[in-house]
Amino acid sequence: MSQTDFLYLMPLLILTFAVLISMLVIAAWRNHKIIYVITALSFIAAFGSLFELRTTTAYVIEPMFVIDGFGVFYIGMILLTSLLVSMLSYAYFEQREERKEEYYLLLVLATLGACVLVISTHFASLFLGLEILSISLYALIPYLRTRPRSDEAGIKYLILAAFSSAFMLFGMALVYYSTGTMVFSGLAQSIAGMQELPLLLLTGIGMMLIGVGFKLGIVPFHMWTPDVYEGAPAPVTAFIATVSKGGVLGLLIRFFMEVDGFRYPVLVTILTIVAIASMFAGNLLALMQKNVKRILAYSSISHLGYILVAFMAGNQMGVEAITFYLVAYFITSVGAFGVVAMLSDKNSDAELLEDYKGLLWRRPWTAAVFSAMLLSLAGIPLTAGFVGKFYIIAAGINDQLWLLVVMLVLNSVIGLYYYIKIIAVMFQQPETEREPIIRLRPSIYVASVGTLAVLALLLVYVGVYPTGLVQLIQNVLVSVPEIVAK
């Protein structure tokens, strides 16, 4: 590797060195605040190194990676989200007695895996990034082992993730047997003249999609989602809902755009069925829940179905819509789970609807932020979620995906009910007296309240003035010829 290669991989190298430094510090002196500061500084430094790459054309590190505008934007989005999650994690774990330091090692490693995914152009780097992400989550999900359902969530994710990895590996083997290449561009050249995919190659791609579908939690690979969301600590749940799924989506976009998978009717049909099933299953199952984390889990399934509508457009506008929606969804999900984390105590998370009864009267500002996040998820105007959903509908109409657009609108109406149900519970009169004001230490105050305030401002800003973000997304996609050509 050349010196230039190391420069372009600097964000990944910074995260790697941060893990090594944190390990040495933990071995010498356990201190929650020091490890948190190292973690936060590593995310900030990695994000800062992206500014050296922002004006460049696509740079290829053969045969594994390509660093282009698309990859840089997604890495930046992942790093900033991980930074916010780490801030919420500090406030969340500070009141707990468990050993906290190793948590940040796993968080940085999982972030590293997601960053590897979005710049991968080879099956080897794809699988490496996916496993770094997955193995870190194996330990993050059951991190609070004394909690009920914590070990159960970890074991379920471990077993199902192992099966999905096996499907993906076997699919890669079939694709390699059929084409003789493991590079995305090589696969695209091999199938360029084919009107229909051979059965063996189609089976291989289908098995790879099963592995990706599990990581995204879309139907019919969604059964782990509510149990894992419920059993994992609230900041980990926020990470899974955003960084983990965002990294896999970035990979899926790059792969399909590279091989032009939208030319094949069988793949289009499968993805259409999955999108519609995810929208209906997520929303209908969420209607029956009384646990806030499970409601948000089923909600995430439906939102992935919405994203697949723009994905099926298979053009630049579709990718722009997905990217914008992800930014809005990241802001909203981290904010929503941030409120859950903030209201949690050292024994359990604030996950039941009863925990939010009368929240408006007990903690008016917290209730206002949570209401804003829920309204954004529902797609109410003046929020980032509304603009993101509008962008997705525009991409679907532009490509004449009328069935998917109608299903999206119908499911948005269904989803509105369970979001309003949570808000209505918060507006009820409390059965107990108003909680006394708790004076937080400055560090915890900044980490929790400050983070939620920033997210609320971003939510409204993107919802009222989306032009800046739209122009930024359009500019970064210019350096990706596979997307611009669509």
Side-chain angles (χ1 to χ4, degrees):
M1 292 180 65
S2 66
Q3 183 177 354
T4 307
D5 292 344
F6 282 106
L7 174 65
Y8 279 87
L9 292 176
M10 188 56 66
L12 307 186
L13 295 176
I14 290 174
L15 296 180
T16 304
F17 283 115
V19 173
L20 297 176
I21 293 171
S22 297
M23 289 176 63
L24 295 174
V25 173
I26 291 172
W29 183 29
R30 282 186 172 274
N31 187 292
H32 182 207
K33 184 177 290 186
I34 290 177
I35 300 302
Y36 159 68
V37 170
I38 293 173
T39 301
L41 289 177
S42 68
F43 288 141
I44 294 171
F47 182 78
S49 68
L50 294 176
F51 286 91
E52 295 295 324
L53 316 177
R54 70 186 189 281
T55 59
T56 61
T57 56
Y59 183 83
V60 180
I61 301 177
E62 294 287 357
M64 296 292 186
F65 304 112
V66 58
I67 294 88
D68 51 17
F70 176 83
V72 169
F73 185 88
Y74 270 69
I75 289 176
M77 185 166 60
I78 287 169
L79 290 172
L80 286 179
T81 306
S82 297
L83 173 63
L84 294 172
V85 170
S86 69
M87 295 174 69
L88 294 173
S89 300
Y90 176 74
Y92 181 85
F93 282 99
E94 185 65 12
Q95 60 180 332
R96 284 162 176 77
E97 297 179 358
E98 291 91 353
R99 291 193 169 184
K100 317 166 182 72
E101 292 79 13
E102 287 83 1
Y103 169 85
Y104 296 94
L105 297 179
L106 297 167
L107 184 67
V108 176
L109 280 173
T111 304
L112 174 63
C115 292
V116 169
L117 282 177
V118 298
I119 59 173
S120 293
T121 57
H122 192 283
F123 288 168
S125 57
L126 180 164
F127 192 73
L128 179 65
L130 200 62
E131 289 306 293
I132 293 174
L133 173 62
S134 298
I135 292 173
S136 301
L137 290 178
Y138 295 162
L140 282 172
I141 290 168
Y143 194 81
L144 299 176
R145 294 184 58 199
T146 58
R147 291 274 192 88
R149 299 185 302 276
S150 179
D151 286 343
E152 176 189 350
I155 292 172
K156 284 182 178 178
Y157 189 83
L158 170 64
I159 294 174
L160 294 175
F163 273 105
S164 74
S165 296
F167 272 102
M168 179 166 282
L169 274 177
F170 197 73
M172 290 177 183
L174 292 179
V175 171
Y176 179 70
Y177 177 81
S178 302
T179 62
T181 182
M182 291 192 290
V183 183
F184 294 178
S185 57
L187 175 60
Q189 294 174 3
S190 299
I191 65 176
M194 299 180 183
Q195 296 300 319
E196 292 185 3
L197 294 174
L199 180 59
L200 199 61
L201 179 57
L202 180 62
T203 304
I205 294 177
M207 296 185 76
M208 290 179 63
L209 288 177
I210 290 175
V212 171
F214 169 83
K215 301 300 180 184
L216 293 177
I218 53 179
V219 174
F221 317 108
H222 65 289
M223 297 306 295
W224 62 271
T225 309
D227 293 330
V228 169
Y229 275 45
E230 182 183 8
V236 176
T237 308
F239 185 89
I240 296 172
T242 55
V243 174
S244 176
K245 295 186 178 182
V248 176
L249 264 175
L251 165 71
L252 186 64
I253 292 170
R254 189 181 293 281
F255 177 75
F256 257 74
M257 289 295 177
E258 185 82 41
V259 304
D260 197 13
F262 305 100
R263 291 190 297 118
Y264 304 103
V266 62
L267 294 179
V268 171
T269 302
I270 291 172
L271 290 174
T272 300
I273 294 172
V274 167
I276 295 173
S278 297
M279 286 187 272
F280 274 104
N283 284 313
L284 293 177
L285 290 172
L287 294 175
M288 299 180 284
Q289 305 302 316
K290 295 183 179 180
N291 184 299
V292 172
K293 290 173 78 174
R294 293 183 75 90
I295 289 174
L296 294 175
Y298 284 116
S299 167
S300 72
I301 297 171
S302 64
H303 282 279
L304 264 297
Y306 302 157
I307 289 174
L308 286 178
V309 176
F311 181 76
M312 293 298 297
N315 53 30
Q316 182 177 352
M317 187 176 182
V319 177
E320 292 173 7
I322 294 172
T323 306
F324 187 98
Y325 196 86
L326 279 180
V327 173
Y329 184 69
F330 278 25
I331 294 171
T332 306
S333 293
V334 174
F337 286 110
V339 171
V340 174
M342 185 178 177
L343 296 177
S344 302
D345 56 36
K346 63 181 181 180
N347 298 316
S348 62
D349 286 351
E351 57 187 37
L352 300 177
L353 279 175
E354 288 77 9
D355 297 328
Y356 296 84
K357 189 173 184 179
L359 184 64
L360 178 68
W361 314 106
R362 294 184 283 116
R363 294 188 177 186
W365 291 109
T366 304
V369 171
F370 198 28
S371 298
M373 300 300 167
L374 292 172
L375 292 175
S376 179
L377 288 171
I380 301 301
L382 300 182
T383 63
F386 169 77
V387 181
K389 198 166 289 186
F390 182 85
Y391 213 154
I392 285 182
I393 292 174
I397 292 176
N398 184 62
D399 208 54
Q400 298 184 351
L401 303 174
W402 300 110
L403 175 62
L404 288 172
V405 169
V406 171
M407 294 297 103
L408 190 155
V409 173
L410 176 60
N411 277 275
S412 296
V413 176
I414 298 174
L416 184 62
Y417 172 78
Y418 55 82
Y419 295 125
I420 296 298
K421 180 173 70 174
I422 300 176
I423 297 175
V425 169
M426 291 192 290
F427 276 65
Q428 292 178 6
Q429 288 291 340
E431 297 178 355
T432 58
E433 296 182 0
R434 184 183 178 118
E435 294 179 3
I437 297 176
I438 302 174
R439 299 295 179 185
L440 300 175
R441 297 204 305 270
S443 58
I444 298 180
Y445 188 87
V446 171
S448 58
V449 180
T451 302
L452 291 178
V454 169
L455 289 168
L457 290 174
L458 284 174
L459 183 79
V460 176
Y461 177 78
V462 175
V464 174
Y465 184 72
T467 307
L469 179 58
V470 171
Q471 291 177 345
L472 175 62
I473 293 172
Q474 291 174 342
N475 291 336
V476 299
L477 292 182
V478 169
S479 66
V480 189
E482 294 83 4
I483 295 177
V484 175
K486 303 301 180 185

